[in-house]
Every structure is written in structure tokens, then in C-alpha cells.
Amino acid sequence: MGSIPMQRETDTRDSRPSRPHVPSTGRDVRACVRVTLSGDSLAARAARRCVRGALAEWTEQGRPAAEGITDRLADDAVVLVSELVTNAVVHAGTDVELLCRLEYAEESAEGEGTSLLLEVTDHHPARPVQGDSAAPPASTAEYGRGLQLVAGLSESWGITYRTGSKTVWARLPVDGVDVSRELEVYAGEQAAERRLRVAELAPAPGDHGGEWGNRGTLSFLAEASDLLAGQLDEDMVAALAGQLLVPRLADWCAVWLDDEGDRRTAGPADVPRLARVWHSSENRIEELHRTLEKDPPRHQGPPRSGAVPAPWPAEGLGGTTGTALAHRLVVGGRALGTLLVGRAGLRRFPDEVTGLLEDFSRRVALAIGAARQYSRQATISRVLQRGLLPSSVAQVPGLRTALVYEPRDKGLAGGDFYDVFPAGDGRWCFALGDVCGNGPEAAVVTGLARPWLRLLAREGYRVGDVLTRLNQALLDDGMQAAEAAARAVAAAGLPGITGRPVAPTVVSGSPEDSSPARFLSVLYGELVPSDDGVLCTVACAGHPLPLVLDPEGGVRAVAEPQVILGILDDVEYASETFLLGKGETLLCVTDGVTERRDGPRQFDDGDGLAAALATCTGLAADQVAERIRHLVDAFSEVPPDDDLALLVLQAD
């Protein structure tokens, strides 16, 4: 991340630089954590866990000055880093880098004691930090309180601009923390007169004196972020929002969701969908739902997420009176819906509650946006899946076939593919492949490779020649198609299959500068049934070697390794022919099997796959496939980090 930024006073508008940070001179420099987080809705959650875990580890290890790390400091650090990362993700939209470290007295420019330094760096330096003024401008209503929270928690903070990056940093004192200091982030001038505080609406467990205050509001936001960030369904986000708000901040709430249309232009929006209604009394939910559904919220003009007064639905609330606020759910200038909250017996919400609701609605909007993005990706992937994989595999005379295919991201198209198909003249062919990389480029290569294999096989090319021509195609037309797909996605501003923005790839002609999606490992073979079994001709290009299990439990490899496709030009691929005798089993797998990890160990270390196959002696094809799948899954408690495909061919 570079050197520690120059320290400034809390007011970052003062451009006068102070003395630069003094580097460490022999103290415990290991009390430092650096991580890179993807710029999505899960980044803040990961940052909170990282910071809390680092502080706990330093305390347990007895690092210098770690005895000053209290629960209060840990809570403040978690809330602070949550706001810093959220700000970076929302307003920069790039991956972010997090640094957390203990800074000792001799390292500090002021030398005032040990402090906890937090830095969050994004890579969109031209976009200014939001929230560093007393109040956010009207045109940026979706920004919430922004860095006012940081200013209220830290002893000093600042912003450092570098070429290609922007860092927001903050320091928390480790020694002598003033636990009685009250934050004023959400306090309103007339809050005391109305005698209604957030502490009374949402008390913390064991809090009997109303001392929860604004620190409690920040903890509430951190809790809400954790719960909302992991949801991939927008209706579940709406349900969680209601449970978090009622009865802590409101008597009832409702969430309306707009359709997927563009809301950047002025004019009336389509009728939104009432996704969720929640009331502190379950007996009133149904009646309130009917009342609200009659009069959905309508908004004019460009989307803005500030709170606006809303009509009180007296008909659905037994004739009671109160006040209601409508919060637009806006992300990136696009309206996603409306959050409607109400509390009986009030003429207006207190300032501090209104501010908290604004920040809460911002987090709900982020979660809904992430859920919709995931839903779009899943839909696109399902469409791709139908084109990338065959609807069924051909039945080969004299062979029993079993297949296991498990993409890493369930429901999303993976980089592995398979096929078994008739090639004419009494021949059948099979293929098992794995495209390096992911996203639209990998999907295009997968979608092209399988039809090419079928076409070349049916034209009568021999096994080695098929791979030779496929290799040349990947170096020519295939890569151009993949690049065109990536450019189209990038130009449209759409996410890739993995959910992250896709940038166009430039191929300069050398393998080092090429997209990894042009690289394709393939095991390809031809099958000809005979009286003694099945005559198999196979070629393996950068792929795990196929294994044959004989009826006595012996295991042997039946191909030679060759270079992966898409790297070298003018390569001639060779093939090997063998007889798959009656009762013998051919196992073909992708590297999701052989490279399955358990710490530093891989499944195929020490011929682990061959040993696993030897335990399948006497089993039918489908039983062999299921046993290998089970052994691979049980190899580690950690979920698989790659797609898995295996094909079993067993001669009758």
C-alpha cells in the first residue's frame, strides 16, 4: 500500500501538511495486517471480521501495548472500518485494500502513545470522498453520514491522494481511551426537548440507564450490515429489514421494490411491488398490508434517498395517529425501491432516529442491489449452461457411463465441460475440458470448444489432429470471439459471471500477455466397440491423465501429458490407443478432483487419485463415480474452490 500517509487534523479541509510518519525502528512490526477486499457488498463484513480477529490475536499473543486493546476499542475499530470500507465500495466501486496495525509512540508523528491505525485504499482517486462536510449536499442524498462517523470515533483522520489511489486513514488511541466520551454523530438540537433518544428505542442488552447512546447506533448499523450482506434474495433482504427495524426503531415498516427498469430519468415510475410488511403486533400485519397495497408510493424526478414524510395509513392501523417516513432505496443513482417506516403517537421522528434510518436504508439498498446482481448473473448463467453443456450424454454400445458435474458456484456456469457423442462410422467420442479463467471470455471459449470438437470429429479427423486444429482455432478465431464478448460486457457496464466488472483484454501475441481464458486443458478420446471390449484412442492436453482400473484392482495411466491448448502455435498433438477390456473402468477427471486442497496437501499427492480408484474394485460405473466424488468432498472441510467434473466409462 506504500508508506503511511501524512497525518492531519480531523478537519481534512485544512490542507496544511504536518510532519510525515516516522518508520518503525525495531519494534514489533508484525502487529500489522494487510488484505485486499473485492469491491462488493460483502467487503465491509470481511473487513470487520479481519480487524476483530487481528485485535484478538494480538491480545492473545501478548504483543507490545496489546494490553490496551479493550472491548470498547475493538467495537470502535470495527464500526470505523465498516464505515471506511462501505464508503470506498459505494463511491469508488473498486477493490479496496485494508491495513490494520498497532503504531507505537516512537512511530507516531506526535509521539503521544500507542494508537491503532486503520487505512482503506481504493483505486478511484478522481472521485472525492463523500461525507467530509457538516452535511451531505442535496444531490448526494444517498451518501448518508459518511465520514462524520469516522470523525466522531477517531482521535485523528485524513485522506491521502496518490497516483492511481486514494487512502482514507484514521487513528484510535490504544492508551487512555475516554470511555465516557459521547458521540454526537446522530444528535439533533431538539432531541432533548422531544425526550426521545435512540437509546430508548433500541436499548442494548443489560443497558438500564440509557447510556447506549450513539455508540449503540453504530453497533446497530454494524449488526445490520452483517445480516444484510450475506443475503442473495431481495425478498429476504426486505424481510430482514423489517425484523431489524421493528420494534427497535419503529412500530411498523414496509418495503416496496421497483422493477428492474432504469430509474435515472424523470417521470412516473411503474407501480412497485409491496415485498414486505412488518408490524410489532402480528394481528395488524394483514390489514396494514391491504391498506398500503391500495396506495403504492410514487416519486417524481431523479432518484434521491433522503427521507420524505409519508401519509399515515390510519385505515390499516385501527384509526391511530402517528408519523411515517419514506426512504428511497438508491444505489448508484438507480432507484431500487422504498422503505416506509412509521411510529404511533409522534408528530415527527427525532433527528437522531432520522439520521440512523437514512444510513440503515443505504445498507438495505446496497443489499438489494447485490441480490439483484446475483439474480441477473444466475439467470444469465443458467442460459449459458444450457448452451455450454449437453442436455444428455450418448449411450455407447458395450459401455456403462456415469458422470458427476459440480460447478464451484452452485447454479452458475463453470469453466469445466464434458461431452459424449456419436461421430459416425461406428465411432463415439468423449471430451472432458477445463477453461482457465472465468467470466464471459471463459464462457465463450467453453461454448465454442465443444461444437468444434463435435464438428472436427464428425469430419473424420483423428484424435491428435482434432486437438491440433482446436489449438489453432483458440489462437485465432476463438480468442477474437472471447475478446469481443468481454468488450461488449465491459462497454455495457455489466458484471461478469463472477459478479465483478469485466475489462476488455488486449492480446499482444505473446502467451505472457494473453488472457488466461484462451488456455484450455482437454482430455479427448474416440471409442470403437469390439467383441473384446472397447477400443479407446485418447489424447491429453494439459489435463489430468485418465486412469484404468482392471478387475483385479490394478490401476494404470493410459495417456502421455502434452502441452495445454492455446499457448503454443504449430504444435502437433499425438494420441495413444488401448483396449478397455470387459470389466475394466476408465476414469477421467478435471483438476477440481486432483487439486482439491486440504491445507498444503492436494488430493492427488502421492498418486492419491489412483489409490482412491483402487478402492472401487468391483463397483459399477455409477458407484465408482459416487465414491470418487465422496472421497474428494471429504478430503477437506473447506468448500471446494474449483469446478469438479468426472466421467466414468466401464466396459460390460
Side-chain angles (χ1 to χ4, degrees):
M1 188 179 301
S3 60
I4 303 299
M6 298 172 63
Q7 182 171 353
R8 308 178 187 176
E9 299 298 325
T10 300
D11 185 357
T12 59
R13 292 167 292 181
D14 185 355
S15 60
R16 294 172 297 174
S18 59
R19 290 176 292 170
H21 161 71
V22 180
S24 174
T25 55
R27 290 299 296 256
D28 191 356
V29 296
R30 293 174 300 171
C32 176
V33 172
R34 296 174 186 265
V35 294
T36 299
L37 307 171
S38 59
D40 55 28
S41 63
L42 299 178
R45 183 182 191 180
R48 288 190 292 271
R49 291 182 175 179
C50 176
V51 169
R52 195 176 290 279
L55 296 179
E57 181 179 356
W58 297 340
T59 300
E60 181 180 352
Q61 295 175 351
R63 299 293 178 86
E67 64 275 5
I69 299 176
T70 62
D71 291 342
R72 170 57 62 84
L73 175 66
D75 290 342
D76 285 356
V78 166
V79 172
L80 192 151
V81 77
S82 179
E83 187 60 32
L84 288 178
V85 172
T86 298
N87 216 322
V89 169
V90 172
H91 305 302
T94 69
D95 287 356
V96 296
E97 298 170 12
L98 166 66
L99 178 144
C100 172
R101 79 168 199 165
L102 288 176
E103 188 176 72
Y104 302 104
E106 63 268 27
E107 299 176 301
S108 172
E110 287 78 13
E112 294 180 350
T114 302
S115 60
L116 179 68
L117 175 67
L118 296 168
E119 288 186 355
V120 173
T121 300
D122 64 63
H123 301 281
H124 198 315
R127 187 169 296 178
V129 174
Q130 303 295 338
D132 58 348
S133 59
S139 61
T140 59
E142 68 186 272
Y143 296 145
R145 290 300 190 273
L147 296 181
Q148 293 183 57
L149 301 179
V150 177
L153 284 171
S154 60
E155 66 173 355
S156 62
W157 68 282
I159 306 166
T160 299
Y161 291 88
R162 300 185 183 91
T163 302
S165 68
K166 175 178 78 270
T167 298
V168 184
W169 57 270
R171 285 186 177 87
L172 290 169
V174 174
D175 301 318
V177 178
D178 182 7
V179 298
S180 64
R181 179 167 61 97
E182 182 61 44
L183 303 179
E184 298 296 332
V185 176
Y186 289 99
E189 294 179 359
Q190 300 176 350
E193 297 179 11
R194 287 193 290 272
R195 303 183 68 182
L196 183 61
R197 301 182 52 176
V198 178
E200 297 169 1
L201 297 178
D207 181 6
H208 304 291
E211 297 177 358
W212 184 61
N214 278 274
R215 290 183 185 273
T217 68
L218 303 183
S219 298
F220 167 74
L221 288 176
E223 174 194 352
S225 297
D226 268 339
L227 291 173
L228 295 171
Q231 303 305 319
L232 299 177
D233 180 84
E234 62 181 53
D235 288 303
M236 181 59 70
V237 173
L240 279 175
Q243 294 178 46
L244 286 165
L245 287 178
V246 179
R248 303 174 85 176
L249 296 177
D251 292 327
W252 59 270
C253 79
V255 179
W256 303 81
L257 295 177
D258 296 348
D259 62 25
E260 291 279 6
D262 195 338
R263 294 289 179 269
R264 297 176 185 272
T265 58
D270 295 335
V271 177
R273 173 173 64 90
L274 183 55
R276 186 71 178 182
V277 175
W278 199 265
H279 196 286
S280 56
S281 173
E282 292 187 9
N283 296 331
R284 293 195 178 276
I285 292 178
E286 185 175 350
E287 185 178 0
L288 179 60
H289 190 286
R290 286 197 300 266
T291 300
L292 292 174
E293 206 166 28
K294 297 176 184 177
D295 187 20
R298 296 182 180 274
H299 305 274
Q300 296 289 335
R304 294 176 55 188
S305 61
V308 296
W312 181 259
E315 180 183 346
L317 296 172
T320 61
T321 60
T323 186
L325 290 177
H327 294 263
R328 296 298 322 265
L329 303 175
V330 180
V331 173
R334 185 184 299 273
L336 305 181
T338 303
L339 173 66
L340 189 64
V341 296
R343 193 167 181 90
L346 293 181
R347 289 180 295 177
R348 56 170 293 184
F349 275 96
D351 294 343
E352 65 270 26
V353 177
T354 302
L356 180 58
L357 288 172
E358 288 178 6
D359 278 343
F360 177 79
S361 65
R362 182 165 60 113
R363 284 156 172 80
V364 173
L366 283 172
I368 291 175
R372 288 191 171 184
Q373 184 184 63
Y374 178 83
S375 178
R376 287 193 296 269
Q377 293 166 16
T379 300
I380 294 172
S381 188
R382 283 192 293 270
V383 174
L384 284 173
Q385 198 83 32
R386 289 195 291 268
L388 299 180
L389 301 176
S391 57
S392 61
V393 296
Q395 296 299 315
V396 182
L399 277 181
R400 285 180 287 178
T401 304
L403 175 74
V404 173
Y405 177 74
E406 295 182 351
R408 177 186 62 179
D409 298 317
K410 305 300 182 184
L412 299 181
D416 292 2
F417 69 92
Y418 60 87
D419 203 0
V420 180
F421 58 93
D425 299 327
R427 300 177 299 126
W428 280 260
C429 294
F430 70 93
L432 204 60
D434 185 3
V435 180
C436 299
N438 48 45
E441 294 173 90
V444 169
V445 172
T446 301
L448 293 175
R450 191 170 62 85
W452 275 333
L453 286 170
R454 286 194 172 207
L455 176 62
L456 292 169
R458 288 168 178 169
E459 287 293 318
Y461 287 101
R462 293 177 299 179
V463 170
D465 293 336
V466 168
L467 293 191
T468 299
R469 283 161 173 76
L470 179 58
N471 177 63
Q472 192 59 50
L474 287 173
L475 291 169
D476 298 332
D477 297 340
M479 201 55 225
Q480 294 176 11
E483 301 250 338
R487 291 191 184 96
V489 171
L494 296 176
I497 300 304
T498 57
R500 295 177 59 184
V502 176
T505 305
V506 177
V507 177
S508 66
S510 65
E512 292 80 3
D513 298 326
S514 303
S515 164
R518 71 183 292 171
F519 306 146
L520 173 66
S521 74
V522 173
L523 172 63
Y524 172 69
E526 183 179 279
L527 307 169
V528 179
S530 69
D531 293 338
D532 298 323
V534 177
L535 193 64
C536 302
T537 303
V538 296
C540 187
H543 207 77
L545 299 180
L547 302 176
V548 169
L549 171 68
D550 62 40
E552 289 73 36
V555 177
R556 68 184 188 276
V558 288
E560 294 294 329
Q562 300 177 80
V563 66
I564 193 171
L565 300 180
I567 292 184
L568 300 178
D569 202 352
D570 299 327
V571 177
E572 296 292 333
Y573 287 88
S575 61
E576 292 84 30
T577 300
F578 65 95
L579 178 68
L580 186 68
K582 294 183 178 181
E584 291 188 328
T585 301
L586 176 66
L587 173 65
C588 311
V589 303
T590 60
D591 60 9
V593 173
T594 56
E595 297 179 4
R596 172 81 160 113
R597 284 192 171 275
D598 180 25
R601 299 187 304 126
Q602 292 188 349
F603 185 79
D604 198 33
D605 287 350
D607 294 328
L609 179 60
L613 181 59
T615 67
C616 300
T617 304
L619 299 181
D622 56 345
Q623 294 172 324
V624 172
E626 178 57 27
R627 181 171 181 80
I628 298 298
R629 185 206 65 78
H630 173 74
L631 291 174
V632 171
D633 183 65
F635 184 70
S636 173
E637 296 180 356
V638 179
D641 60 357
D642 197 3
D643 305 322
L644 179 151
L646 63 90
L647 176 67
V648 177
L649 303 175
Q650 190 174 71
D652 290 335

